[in-house]
Amino acid sequence: MTDLIAEDLAARFLRAGGARPLLFRAPGRVNLIGEHTDYNDGFVLPAALGLGTVVAVAPRSDRLLRMESAAFSGVAEFDLDAPAPRPRGDWTDYVRGVAVVLERMGNRLTGANLMIASDLPMGAGLSASASLEVVTGLALAAVSDIAIDATALALLCQRAENEFVGARCGVMDQFVSCNARQGCALLLDCRSLDFRAIPVDPQATLVVCDTMVRHSIAAGEYNLRREQCEAAAATLAGVLDGVTALRDVTREQLDEHASLLPETVFRRARHVVSENARTLAAARALESGDHAECGRLMNASHESLRDDFEVSCAELDLLVDAARRLPGVYGARMMGGGFGGCTINLVEAEVADNFAESVAETFRRATGATPPVFRCSPGPGAGRVLLREDAR
Ligand code: GLA
């Protein structure tokens, strides 16, 4: 898929009068379990999709970034010497944010022409924006001759999103886009950034169902959840030694000090603390081939996100309920920030096609809309794309 996009992009770049470009790709992601834990220094279990964002890039002799994207629609120019660049509230912020952060880190960038394409659905919670940041980072570093490793790239892209775009996201999406391993999910410790690649047995298929709901309240609610988690950690740090984030709190400690927290904040914390435990247990279950247990933990994750963290919505709940009624389904839950986007389902490989049809049909009968449903096998992390011409 990506290779076809890259070939097409290279051809368009040349037709537009550009020099032979370098090509890079960065994937979107799914997350098996570990939701709203990354910014609490906790654990996540994401995997890269085969879908992603591709960029064709060639250096310029001036300090302009000229960016063009069919997927994100439009052309824009950005002067790297412009004083105090500000976000514009569109897709170009992800490109410009990465450029701004690279320069803030002391690098001097060369101007560049960037042509961008993507086969990721936008705003579906599959990290199209993180993949755009990562692919931009690779492209700009390459044309400016800057050496950067995968983890440093992930952190700088997260910083671009936090400091420039203005979303206080954690590191999960950028990290897995940079570091994913083919056929595996990554058990990532979001504090130390240590990770372990865990093979996903092809007998258990990951299926994504898209509600097609793109809620605009999501960003405000996301930042609010983050503040509530930080408030809980700060209160608990007053009575417990060694607590800097909810990652450091056990379920027993949380229950013991529940009276110190407002009821809503307590439930937010209960989600995070229990989700960290579920994520570690799910990684062990996946490793030992216990798909039933992994699915059970995914189901419990959904309940916790719906009832304690309150980031689900009717369409997500509908897809999850529909999925769980079908044969061969180990587990189903909402995925990502919430309030729309996609569910992730762990399904027996043999029934995955039937599952996809049946779940889409149930959703269509209830809502009138047919949701995109697709199987995914974990792909590799971001990198250069070499076309046949490049190999010659
Ligand atoms: C979004 C953020 C991630 C993470 C998830 C929720 O995808 O970008 O950092 O917090 O939501 O798990």
Side-chain angles (χ1 to χ4, degrees):
M1 192 89 154
T2 303
D3 279 359
L4 288 180
I5 295 180
E7 265 174 43
D8 177 59
L9 201 56
R12 278 204 285 140
F13 197 92
L14 290 171
R15 276 202 303 277
R20 179 109 169 257
L22 295 175
L23 293 156
F24 297 89
R25 67 174 292 277
R29 62 104 190 88
V30 290
N31 186 24
L32 273 78
I33 193 165
E35 220 64 88
H36 289 275
T37 44
D38 61 352
Y39 55 83
N40 290 295
D41 280 2
F43 299 94
V44 293
L45 192 59
L49 287 165
L51 309 177
T53 306
V54 181
V55 67
V57 64
R60 298 170 58 106
S61 53
D62 56 17
R63 291 255 295 159
L64 279 187
L65 290 184
R66 183 182 187 281
M67 53 199 104
E68 182 176 342
S69 165
F72 298 90
S73 78
V75 181
E77 280 188 359
F78 173 56
D79 183 349
L80 288 164
D81 292 318
R86 303 189 62 75
R88 300 190 336 179
D90 62 19
W91 66 273
T92 65
D93 288 351
Y94 301 106
V95 177
R96 295 178 317 126
V98 169
V100 165
V101 169
L102 273 165
E103 292 238 321
R104 278 186 196 155
M105 289 165 67
N107 302 293
R108 186 166 167 85
L109 295 178
T110 311
N113 292 325
L114 301 145
M115 207 179 257
I116 298 159
S118 177
D119 53 7
L120 278 167
M122 299 301 139
L126 299 173
S127 297
S129 48
S131 79
L132 175 56
E133 289 158 2
V134 169
V135 84
T136 299
L138 284 175
L140 296 182
V143 292
S144 303
D145 227 354
I146 299 164
I148 188 157
D149 70 28
T151 295
L153 176 60
L155 289 170
L156 100 82
C157 291
Q158 182 201 12
R159 190 173 151 196
E161 185 129 358
N162 292 171
E163 287 182 13
F164 190 79
V165 181
R168 298 188 65 211
C169 68
V171 76
M172 168 169 72
D173 306 345
Q174 293 83 359
F175 193 95
V176 69
S177 185
C178 291
N179 285 296
R181 302 286 189 268
Q182 175 109 35
C184 295
L186 299 187
L187 174 63
L188 171 66
D189 177 335
C190 297
R191 172 173 280 165
S192 66
L193 300 184
D194 287 340
F195 67 94
R196 197 163 84 234
I198 300 182
V200 178
D201 180 351
Q203 295 304 314
T205 303
L206 298 171
V207 184
V208 169
C209 307
D210 186 352
T211 61
M212 300 176 290
V213 176
R214 313 282 186 255
H215 273 174
S216 55
I217 54 163
E221 290 288 338
Y222 184 93
N223 289 348
L224 175 62
R225 294 299 180 284
R226 190 166 173 161
E227 280 164 28
Q228 290 169 327
C229 291
E230 286 163 358
T235 302
L236 294 168
V239 290
L240 295 167
D241 284 342
V243 170
T244 57
L246 284 178
R247 147 74 175 275
D248 304 308
V249 178
T250 65
R251 186 60 202 278
E252 293 69 32
Q253 289 171 327
L254 180 64
D255 288 345
E256 190 185 336
H257 299 290
S259 62
L260 298 177
L261 302 173
E263 198 265 338
T264 306
V265 172
F266 169 75
R267 284 189 292 110
R268 304 297 187 247
R270 183 165 64 185
H271 164 70
V272 173
V273 170
S274 62
E275 184 80 349
N276 275 329
R278 279 189 292 271
T279 303
L280 292 172
R284 282 194 298 274
L286 201 64
E287 237 163 357
S288 63
D290 190 347
H291 303 134
E293 174 64 1
C294 189
R296 191 191 65 74
L297 292 157
M298 290 170 72
N299 289 344
S301 167
H302 183 77
E303 267 74 90
S304 177
L305 287 158
R306 184 191 62 202
D307 301 337
D308 273 354
F309 219 62
E310 295 181 283
V311 289
S312 190
C313 65
E315 294 83 353
L316 286 166
D317 293 343
L318 175 65
L319 276 176
V320 163
D321 289 343
R324 289 187 193 164
R325 287 177 208 281
L326 295 170
V329 176
Y330 297 114
R333 64 175 204 87
M334 59 151 284
M335 182 175 74
F339 303 105
C342 296
T343 63
I344 175 124
N345 306 268
L346 189 67
V347 179
E348 261 177 45
E350 295 115 67
V351 303
D353 287 340
N354 277 342
F355 167 81
E357 266 174 40
S358 306
V359 84
E361 176 56 21
T362 307
F363 191 83
R364 194 194 58 72
R365 262 189 271 116
T367 67
T370 306
V373 176
F374 58 93
R375 306 163 67 135
C376 47
S377 41
R384 178 131 180 234
V385 183
L386 290 173
L387 298 181
R388 267 160 299 164
E389 304 90 271
D390 296 313
R392 262 183 238 136

